[in-house]
Amino acid sequence: MADLFAGFEPAAPADTHPENAPLADRLRPRSLDEVVGQDHITGPEGAIGRMVAAGRLSSMILWGPPGTGKTTIARLLADAVDLRFVAISAVFSGVADLKKAFAEAREHARVGKRTLLFVDEIHRFNRAQQDGFLPSVEDGTVTLVGATTENPSFELNAALLSRAQVMILERLNRTALEQLIDRAEAEMDRPIPLDQAARDALIASADGDGRFLLNQAETIFSVDLKEPLEPAGLSAFLQRRVAVYDKDREGHYNLISALHKSIRGSDPQAALYYLARMLTAGEEPLYLLRRLTRAAVEDIGLADPNALVQCIAAKNTYDFLGSPEGELAIAQACLYLATAPKSNAAYKAQKAAWRTAKETGSLMPPANILNAPTKLMRDIGYGKDYAYDHDAADGYSGANYWPDDLPPQTFYTPTDRGMEKRIGERLAWWAQLRDQHS
């Protein structure tokens, strides 16, 4: 599934896979209905499914974790609507490669063959390079399909995003990963030599990454094992810790849910117990650190901003010490989160702000807070009457920062717990000052 392109290259047809190709390549889907785990966009009711049914593609950005099928979907899109497929990687390509790709696309367009340009790791292009796509996308020279693991809102130019639809790919769930193992067994014409518990552990260790799962499966298939491996044997064979959950196939998901909810419920004893259950079972420590960090920002937030700091410090400590010494830092972070004051105010505020941003589009900020680096911009009112807060009484001007067509909104309402109690008092004081200034 991995595609690392030096420069750019037309891809081989989706249904050709050399016999000596890696297992992940041999199992690459040959049509969109074979893509696993992404039915919400590739299915008949999904955005991509509808485009293919109509026979017309718009430019798009495929955003999702590694191993979820971004490259595969791009290849299949080109086949589905009969476009020439060209792939480049932002890691290995520069402006010269882009110019060459656009020039060749124009030549093919003259003879009636349009081009789908797939750009892997598109977020690695700088802002100027991203701007270079705009003319060719606007005039239809290429249909751009970019792939990124990073949030496009932060990593891609607004001008480019306005010309491309963002498609969000989901981390592969257990059902999708099991389908990949089934396909691997069919391809190899034999069952994978693992007992059920080890099979479950292998799937859990993939953490939603289909490519990683198939690469691990290929390693297991490559040796002649006399007996199926159990979880401990699998861990030793792969030289990688895999989670061991006895009896319950859903143990991985049940325990991480229990850990998160024990933290949210401020029960440090239960949280430490579930953390111990997972670590002693062989769960990946970095996976647990990611989940603890999520709990810090979702369930604690600004009630105790140090919760996030503790999680990042625990991750750095684990990177430095490794197992088992570094696991003490994970336990400390877990206990900190469970005993911290709780608030989901930041989490709710983020969701509300994102919703309003999508609904209101590209409203211009008020002129008084626009930057005015040129005389022309100053002449048309940019920056006029800007109130520099540090010069105001109490360091607060009470100026308006909202677009003219959008009245002030309230997304964030702090609780009266922890640090947020002080934040709430500060917001109330500012509101009082604002009323005095109005």
Side-chain angles (χ1 to χ4, degrees), residues 85-413:
F85 182 85
V86 173
I88 66 174
S89 169
V91 176
F92 300 108
S93 306
V95 173
D97 299 301
L98 291 175
K99 288 181 177 179
K100 184 177 180 182
F102 294 145
E104 293 195 354
R106 281 190 288 272
E107 290 299 319
H108 282 83
R110 290 191 181 98
V111 295
K113 189 69 171 179
R114 296 185 60 213
T115 297
L116 185 153
L117 177 63
F118 173 66
V119 183
D120 199 15
E121 306 270 7
I122 190 170
H123 62 276
R124 292 181 179 266
F125 279 130
N126 63 36
R127 301 286 175 170
Q129 290 170 318
Q130 291 178 29
D131 284 341
F133 287 101
L134 299 179
S136 296
V137 170
E138 288 178 339
D139 67 13
T141 299
V142 298
T143 297
L144 173 66
V145 177
T148 179
T149 57
E150 304 295 330
N151 189 326
S153 299
F154 302 137
E155 302 296 335
L156 299 183
N157 286 0
L160 185 59
L161 278 179
S162 70
R163 292 161 176 80
Q165 187 170 351
V166 176
M167 305 288 182
I168 302 175
L169 279 71
E170 297 176 351
R171 188 175 294 276
L172 300 187
N173 61 24
R174 183 183 186 85
T175 300
L177 294 171
E178 286 178 333
Q179 285 182 265
L180 293 181
I181 291 291
D182 291 343
R183 292 180 185 180
E185 291 175 326
E187 174 70 18
M188 302 302 295
D189 199 27
R190 57 191 173 96
I192 192 167
L194 303 174
D195 68 16
Q196 186 61 55
R199 183 187 176 105
D200 293 343
L202 178 66
I203 290 172
S205 72
D207 194 20
D209 186 332
R211 179 170 55 245
F212 172 85
L213 178 69
L214 291 176
N215 288 342
Q216 296 290 74
E218 185 169 27
T219 300
I220 297 166
F221 276 122
S222 68
V223 296
D224 184 18
L225 297 171
K226 303 303 182 185
E227 297 289 337
L229 294 174
E230 81 293 347
L234 174 64
S235 180
F237 176 75
L238 294 177
Q239 293 296 296
R240 176 184 173 88
R241 300 177 67 179
V242 295
V244 184
Y245 298 110
D246 295 332
K247 299 179 183 178
D248 188 358
R249 296 180 60 186
E250 298 300 319
H252 168 80
Y253 302 101
N254 291 339
L255 289 182
I256 197 62
S257 176
L259 171 62
H260 194 141
K261 289 172 182 172
S262 297
I263 289 171
R264 181 182 294 153
S266 300
D267 189 333
Q269 317 304 339
L272 192 60
Y273 166 72
Y274 290 118
L275 180 73
R277 282 274 303 273
M278 301 189 83
L279 282 173
T280 58
E283 186 62 77
E284 277 294 307
L286 290 176
Y287 169 75
L288 289 169
L289 282 163
R290 287 196 295 273
R291 293 305 299 256
L292 291 177
T293 304
R294 171 67 187 190
V297 295
E298 179 179 341
D299 295 300
I300 297 167
L302 289 174
D304 186 348
N306 277 325
L308 179 57
V309 176
Q310 283 282 329
C311 290
I312 300 305
K315 187 264 183 188
N316 291 338
T317 302
Y318 181 79
D319 284 343
F320 187 52
L321 295 180
S323 291
E325 291 87 350
E327 292 174 7
L328 178 58
I330 303 176
Q332 176 176 315
C334 175
L335 289 171
Y336 192 101
L337 299 185
T339 57
K342 303 301 188 294
S343 170
N344 69 345
Y347 173 61
K348 288 163 51 177
Q350 183 248 339
K351 293 178 68 175
W354 263 235
R355 183 167 57 251
T356 299
K358 291 177 181 177
E359 292 171 353
T360 56
S362 303
L363 296 178
M364 180 72 76
N368 63 299
I369 63 170
L370 295 179
N371 192 33
T374 68
K375 183 177 183 300
L376 173 61
M377 297 169 81
R378 290 191 294 273
D379 289 344
I380 62 176
Y382 281 28
K384 183 180 180 182
D385 298 327
Y386 171 61
Y388 186 59
D389 286 74
H390 295 292
D391 291 339
D394 301 310
Y396 182 75
S397 68
N400 174 55
Y401 299 99
W402 290 87
D404 294 337
D405 295 329
L406 180 65
Q409 307 287 304
T410 300
F411 303 126
Y412 174 56
T413 303

